[in-house]
Amino acid sequence: MIEINNLSVLYEGNTVESLSDVNLSLQKGDFICVLGKSGAGKSTFIRCINGLQKPTSGEIHLNGKTITNAGENQLRKIRREMGMIFQHFNLIPRLSVLQNVLTGTFGYRPSFKNLVGWFSAEEMAFAKSVIAEVGLSEMMDRRVEQLSGGQKQRVGIARAMVQKPCVLLGDEPVASLDPGTSNRIFTLLKEMHERLGLLTIINVHDIDLAKRYATRIIALKDGKVIYDGLPKDFTEAE
Ligand code: ADP
Ligand code: ADP
C-alpha cells in the first residue's frame, strides 16, 4: 500500500540526516508502531508519509501514486486518504465535539458556527455515527475545551475517521495521556483498524504499548531502521 524507497531527510542547517536511506513496504492490515528515542526521526518519518515534509532524496508511493513529487493540489487529494492524529490533538477548543469532527469532512470553514447548509444530512449522520463509535454520543454538543485528554483524543480519532481514510497516521497520540487512558485509546484504534482494514502507523515511545498492540514494530535510531519485524522478537536493547 505504501512503498518507501531510499528516503532521506537532511534539515537545512543540520550536518546529520534525520532519516537516512529508509526502505520499507507497508501493507494494508499492518498495525505498525514506530519506536525510537526522542530525536530518532519518528516524527519526520510520519510527516514525510503525509506529505508535510519533503524528503531530501528518495520516494514514497501510496497505492501507486507518488507522494514525494506531488503538487499542492494532488497532495491535498492524497492527504484525504490519510487520517492523522496528534500528541496535542490539534482540535479547535471553543468548537463542539460535533463541529470538530465535521472539520474532518471539509476542513475548517470561516463561518463554521453556522452548520446549517454546509453539510448534507448524510454527512451529518455519518459524523454522528463515528462519534458514537468512539463513545462520545453524550458529549456531542460539549465544547472540546471542557473534555479530558482521553476524550479529546477520541474526538481526534473521530475527525480522522470521517475522512474515510485507508491509512491512519499517529504522531505520539498517547504521549500526554496516562497509561490506563493510553491503553483504552489503543484498544479503540485497534478495533477500528481491524474493522475498516486500515494501514495504521503510530509513533510511540512506550515499548510495552507497542508490544501489546502492534502487528509489526519498526524501530528507528539516528534516522535509520534498526528493527523491522514482529513485536515478540523485539528486544529493548535494540
Ligand atoms: P522524534 O520524533 O523521534 O523525536 P524527529 O523526527 O522530531 O524525531 O527529529 C529527528 C531529528 O531531526 C532530531 O535530531 C531533530 O532535532 C531534527 N529535526 C526535526 N525537525 C527539524 C527541523 N524542522 N529542523 C531541523 N532539525 C529538525
Ligand atoms: P515532538 O517530540 O512532539 O515532535 P518537538 O519539541 O521535538 O516535539 O518538536 C516540535 C516541532 O519542532 C516539530 O515540528 C519539529 O519538526 C520541530 N523541531 C524539532 N527539532 C528541531 C530542530 N532542531 N530545529 C528546528 N525545528 C525542530
Side-chain angles (χ1 to χ4, degrees):
M1 193 170 223
I2 293 182
E3 296 294 327
I4 300 174
N5 304 322
N6 309 109
L7 186 73
S8 295
V9 173
L10 177 67
Y11 287 107
E12 212 177 304
N14 289 5
T15 51
V16 178
E17 285 178 331
S18 297
L19 283 181
S20 181
D21 198 26
V22 172
N23 289 280
L24 291 164
S25 177
L26 313 179
Q27 307 303 336
K28 181 178 152 80
D30 282 346
F31 190 101
I32 297 168
C33 284
V34 182
L35 284 168
K37 296 206 168 71
S38 183
K42 304 184 296 297
S43 180
T44 301
F45 178 66
I46 292 285
R47 287 189 293 115
C48 283
I49 292 176
N50 85 347
L52 282 172
Q53 176 68 49
K54 284 251 184 249
T56 317
S57 60
E59 287 182 348
I60 301 176
H61 308 278
L62 169 69
N63 293 325
K65 284 168 288 189
T66 308
I67 295 170
T68 31
N69 63 9
E72 268 311 309
N73 270 338
Q74 206 189 347
L75 205 51
R76 252 193 296 277
K77 267 186 230 152
I78 293 170
R79 278 203 198 110
R80 303 294 306 163
E81 298 175 45
M82 298 194 254
M84 176 102 180
I85 55 175
F86 306 87
Q87 177 177 356
H88 301 294
F89 319 120
N90 294 14
L91 301 168
I92 304 168
R94 72 198 150 73
L95 294 187
S96 73
V97 169
L98 177 62
Q99 287 171 319
N100 269 278
V101 171
L102 285 167
T103 63
T105 308
F106 284 143
Y108 185 74
R109 300 273 176 120
S111 58
F112 205 78
K113 287 221 145 165
N114 183 7
L115 284 175
V116 183
W118 282 122
F119 301 99
S120 67
E122 286 83 0
E123 284 166 334
M124 201 61 114
F126 183 60
K128 288 180 181 175
S129 74
V130 175
I131 291 169
E133 281 172 46
V134 302
L136 291 180
S137 288
E138 315 279 283
M139 313 243 165
M140 196 119 70
D141 299 318
R142 198 105 30 111
R143 281 203 306 278
V144 155
E145 64 198 0
Q146 301 173 305
L147 304 183
S148 70
Q151 289 167 338
K152 283 179 187 158
Q153 196 55 285
R154 285 171 187 271
V155 179
I157 293 167
R159 180 185 55 188
M161 289 303 168
V162 293
Q163 282 180 232
K164 302 183 182 170
C166 58
V167 180
L168 179 68
L169 301 171
D171 194 1
E172 299 272 3
V174 299
S176 22
L177 304 177
D178 63 70
T181 307
S182 298
N183 266 297
R184 286 190 291 279
I185 292 293
F186 263 83
T187 301
L188 174 65
L189 291 171
K190 193 71 182 276
E191 259 171 38
M192 293 201 149
H193 167 84
E194 283 169 4
R195 192 164 45 79
L196 301 171
L198 303 172
L199 164 60
T200 301
I201 309 166
I202 298 179
N203 291 348
V204 280
H205 57 250
D206 182 339
I207 292 170
D208 293 335
L209 215 48
K211 287 201 145 199
R212 204 168 308 141
Y213 292 95
T215 61
R216 175 176 174 185
I217 285 179
I218 293 172
L220 295 175
K221 187 183 180 188
D222 302 330
K224 295 186 181 70
V225 176
I226 56 159
Y227 182 87
D228 177 14
L230 294 174
K232 70 176 172 58
D233 300 327
F234 180 77
T235 52
E236 193 166 350
E238 290 172 288

